[in-house]
Amino acid sequence: MAGRKQFDPERALQAAVRVFWENGYLGTSIHDLESAMGVGRASIYSTYGDKEDLFLRALTSYVEQYGPPVREAFRIHADDSTLALRATFDAALARMSDTDLPAGCLIAQSASELLILGARPQEAVSQLLHGQLAIITAALETDRRSGRLAESADPNSLAAFLAGTIHSLSLLHRNGVGLDVLHRVAAHALSTLPTTTVASGT
């Protein structure tokens, strides 16, 4: 039928997500995308726009697929940031343990390229990073007000440390560090939270 696409746009988009995840934005060429998506350059441009447009679509799709467990963790454990953060680390490590998926995390991979991305990808990745930081900071501030976190704790610096650790796990995973080590790193990061006797239930 004239005008009807001869491919599944969503399936092709998922192939693009995987290519960007594996190679990074700068390491991905239009030829790589054509090969993985099974469509020609003209179809890519007419359906998704240029490479930057496609990357932004892929980034959105990635967040829609892998973001819900994190948001749900902070919703369910709204009054206990330690449990929310543990669930967040667990979700990240579970994703890394899935051998059907590329190593690491598309957001962490993109963050490592942030300063050499174009303006729109920079803004999109920065918004995701700041959004994650804001969620963690808010949870830690809630715990400090409730007495679960020590009054002397600095939610802003703690949130930056924990968010940085989550992204570092992804980069370590991409570089072949074993999951056993990554689990120990996550456990150590969580152990540094200055919780009080209220948090331990004593």
Side-chain angles (χ1 to χ4, degrees):
M1 181 183 297
R4 183 174 182 177
K5 295 188 184 300
Q6 301 301 308
F7 66 97
D8 181 340
E10 181 57 31
R11 185 184 296 273
L13 177 60
Q14 293 312 308
V17 171
R18 190 176 188 95
V19 175
F20 284 124
W21 191 346
E22 290 176 339
N23 302 335
Y25 179 80
L26 295 180
T28 297
S29 67
I30 290 294
H31 177 71
D32 295 330
L33 293 165
E34 287 179 290
S35 298
M37 298 168 74
V39 298
R41 183 178 304 234
S43 293
I44 291 175
Y45 286 137
S46 65
T47 304
Y48 309 101
D50 61 17
K51 176 185 167 183
E52 200 170 86
D53 292 318
L54 179 54
F55 173 74
L56 292 171
R57 292 274 295 272
L59 194 63
T60 298
S61 180
Y62 179 90
V63 172
E64 289 173 349
Q65 291 179 74
Y66 300 104
V70 175
R71 292 191 292 272
E72 186 69 1
F74 282 93
R75 186 189 68 79
I76 293 174
H77 304 297
D79 61 346
D80 192 330
S81 63
T82 299
L83 290 179
L85 286 161
R86 182 173 292 117
T88 298
F89 277 102
D90 287 346
L93 291 165
R95 187 187 64 245
M96 292 177 211
S97 68
D98 187 339
T99 56
D100 290 332
L101 296 176
C105 163
L106 177 57
I107 298 172
Q109 170 71 7
S110 302
S112 70
E113 300 179 310
L114 190 62
L115 296 180
I116 45 180
L117 293 176
R120 289 191 301 148
Q122 272 192 10
E123 181 180 2
V125 174
S126 293
Q127 285 180 352
L128 290 172
L129 295 175
H130 285 113
Q132 182 189 51
L133 198 59
I135 289 172
I136 297 174
T137 301
L140 292 170
E141 287 175 340
T142 297
D143 271 10
R144 189 174 68 170
R145 286 194 298 270
S146 70
R148 299 184 70 87
L149 201 64
E151 180 63 30
S152 60
D154 178 1
N156 292 298
S157 60
L158 279 172
F161 163 68
L162 292 163
T165 301
I166 292 169
H167 292 299
S168 295
L169 291 176
S170 296
L171 296 176
L172 290 170
H173 186 233
R174 282 185 65 85
N175 285 280
V177 176
L179 286 167
D180 57 335
V181 174
L182 300 183
H183 277 278
R184 291 200 296 273
V185 171
H188 179 70
L190 290 170
S191 75
T192 64
L193 286 172
T195 54
T196 65
T197 55
V198 172
S200 63
T202 59

